[in-house]
């Protein structure tokens, strides 16, 4: 159950709304509603990995993973009074099978509430995996290169103020990742030095983005587009004496937007340009 108090008058300044413009007259309303919603997710996977020795110093490594995802969701909202923070009724009737308006009109055509919960589902199969080669340059130095295909299953946004605009499935996310590196041992094992360089590109990147829903600032999962990350890492572990160990490392990472997909109904000014650094991913 969600209940808020709100004025029907327009704000005179941001976040400052008058309660009344006349003595003894109130413009306060109490939007209220109840929503029941949930989801069921089933995931099945089979995976395996094998190593094939081409010689005493050269190895091929391969792995595969088959994944099956099934996702079912439901939602119904009964609203006694719509207003700020509380959307109107939402159910299968209002969703109207996601009927799209005929051009030149845009958006969706809402139907009549019928008290039947809105339900939808999706399923997806995926084959991901890994391929790598390792070469022993010496007994203490190993070089490697790898390619990995990653996968994150489909999703839905199911929350209190759900409408048809946000009820569609969010496509699976995939990533193609490449890495090369060296693993080294020196001084009879007293010094370990590892070096790696990598690049990865994520398609249908699933990101939590800010949005306004029913005049409330919120965050919801979106299919944001594609992003990439690249960089290098160097780490070491030194044991100069039996009871003393020194370790450290340095890393450089550049993560950025490659393409950005505006959410439905978003303003073009919210488009994020190619090359924009990702949040919480400093160099």
């Amino acid at each position: 159950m969600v209940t808020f108090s709100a004025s029907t008058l327009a704000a005179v300044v941001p976040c400052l709304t008058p309660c009344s413009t006349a003595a003894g007259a109130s413009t306060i309303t109490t939007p209220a509603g109840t929503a029941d919603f949930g989801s069921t997710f089933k995931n099945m996977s089979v995976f395996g990995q094998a190593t094939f020795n081409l010689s005493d110093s050269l190895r091929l490594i391969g792995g595969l993973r088959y994944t099956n995802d099934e996702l079912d969701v439901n939602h119904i909202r009964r609203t006694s009074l719509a207003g700020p923070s509380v959307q109107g009724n939402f159910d299968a009737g209002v969703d109207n099978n996601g009927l799209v308006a005929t051009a030149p009109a845009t958006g969706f055509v809402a139907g009549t509430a019928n008290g039947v919960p809105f339900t939808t589902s999706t399923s997806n199969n995926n084959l991901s995996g890994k391929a790598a080669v390792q070469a022993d340059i010496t007994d203490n130095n190993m070089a490697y290169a790898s390619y990995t295909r990653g996968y994150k299953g489909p999703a839905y946004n199911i929350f209190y103020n759900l409408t048809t605009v946000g009820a569609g499935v969010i496509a699976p996310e995939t990533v193609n990742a490449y890495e090369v590196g060296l693993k080294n041992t020196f001084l009879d094992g007293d010094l370990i030095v590892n070096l790696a360089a990598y690049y990865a590109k994520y398609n249908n990147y699933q990101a939590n983005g800010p949005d306004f829903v029913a005049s409330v600032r919120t965050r919801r999962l979106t299919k944001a587009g594609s992003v990439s990350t690249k960089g290098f890492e160097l780490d070491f572990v030194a044991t100069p004496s039996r009871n003393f160990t020194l370790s450290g490392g340095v890393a450089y990472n550049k993560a950025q937007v490659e393409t950005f997909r505006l959410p439905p109904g978003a303003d073009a000014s919210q488009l994020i340009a190619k090359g924009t650094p990702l949040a919480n991913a400093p160099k």
Side-chain angles (χ1 to χ4, degrees):
M1 178 72 174
V2 174
T3 301
F4 289 92
S5 294
S7 173
T8 59
L9 297 177
V12 292
V13 296
C15 300
L16 182 59
T17 302
C19 295
S20 176
T21 58
S26 174
T27 59
I28 296 297
T29 62
T30 307
T34 301
D36 296 314
F37 51 92
S39 61
T40 302
F41 181 70
K42 296 180 181 179
N43 171 277
M44 180 191 73
S45 64
V46 179
F47 56 90
Q49 180 170 302
T51 300
F52 180 64
N53 295 308
L54 297 176
S55 68
D56 290 341
S57 60
L58 186 63
R59 297 173 294 281
L60 295 178
I61 301 172
L64 287 174
R65 182 186 186 97
Y66 170 80
T67 304
N68 171 258
D69 291 316
E70 297 181 4
L71 183 57
D72 298 275
V73 298
N74 62 87
H75 190 291
I76 183 169
R77 183 175 59 251
R78 305 171 182 88
T79 301
S80 57
L81 178 62
S85 305
V86 180
Q87 297 272 34
N89 290 328
F90 183 74
D91 56 21
V94 175
D95 179 68
N96 204 16
N97 293 317
L99 180 64
V100 178
T102 304
T106 59
F108 298 92
V109 179
T112 303
N114 59 9
V116 177
F118 162 78
T119 60
T120 188
S121 62
T122 190
S123 62
N124 193 68
N125 299 314
N126 178 266
L127 186 65
S128 54
K130 173 183 179 179
V133 57
Q134 296 179 346
D136 296 326
I137 303 171
T138 70
D139 289 342
N140 298 312
N141 308 95
M142 187 267 285
Y144 68 92
S146 68
Y147 163 75
T148 304
R149 171 79 169 184
Y151 166 80
K152 182 190 292 184
Y156 285 99
N157 274 301
I158 302 297
F159 60 108
Y160 178 85
N161 274 315
L162 181 70
T163 64
T164 302
V165 172
V169 64
I170 299 170
E173 176 185 315
T174 58
V175 57
N176 293 306
Y178 308 85
E179 183 175 337
V180 295
L182 291 168
K183 294 185 178 295
N184 310 279
T185 302
F186 304 103
L187 305 176
D188 294 326
D190 289 339
L191 177 62
I192 298 173
V193 180
N194 299 319
L195 177 66
Y198 58 87
Y199 172 80
K201 184 174 182 181
Y202 298 78
N203 297 302
N204 287 332
Y205 183 60
Q206 297 177 359
N208 275 303
D211 195 8
F212 277 103
V213 179
S215 303
V216 175
R217 188 72 163 177
T218 186
R219 300 185 67 86
R220 62 188 178 98
L221 193 65
T222 62
K223 184 176 68 174
S226 62
V227 301
S228 68
T229 179
K230 60 183 177 181
F232 67 84
E233 298 176 346
L234 171 67
D235 63 79
F236 70 91
V237 178
T239 310
S241 66
R242 181 176 181 180
N243 297 316
F244 180 69
T245 298
L246 179 66
S247 62
V250 61
Y252 170 83
N253 180 66
K254 182 179 181 181
Q256 66 179 29
V257 173
E258 294 294 335
T259 60
F260 182 75
R261 176 183 176 273
L262 282 172
D267 188 270
S269 64
Q270 296 176 318
L271 180 69
I272 299 177
K274 175 181 172 65
T276 300
L278 294 185
N280 302 316
K283 291 185 179 180

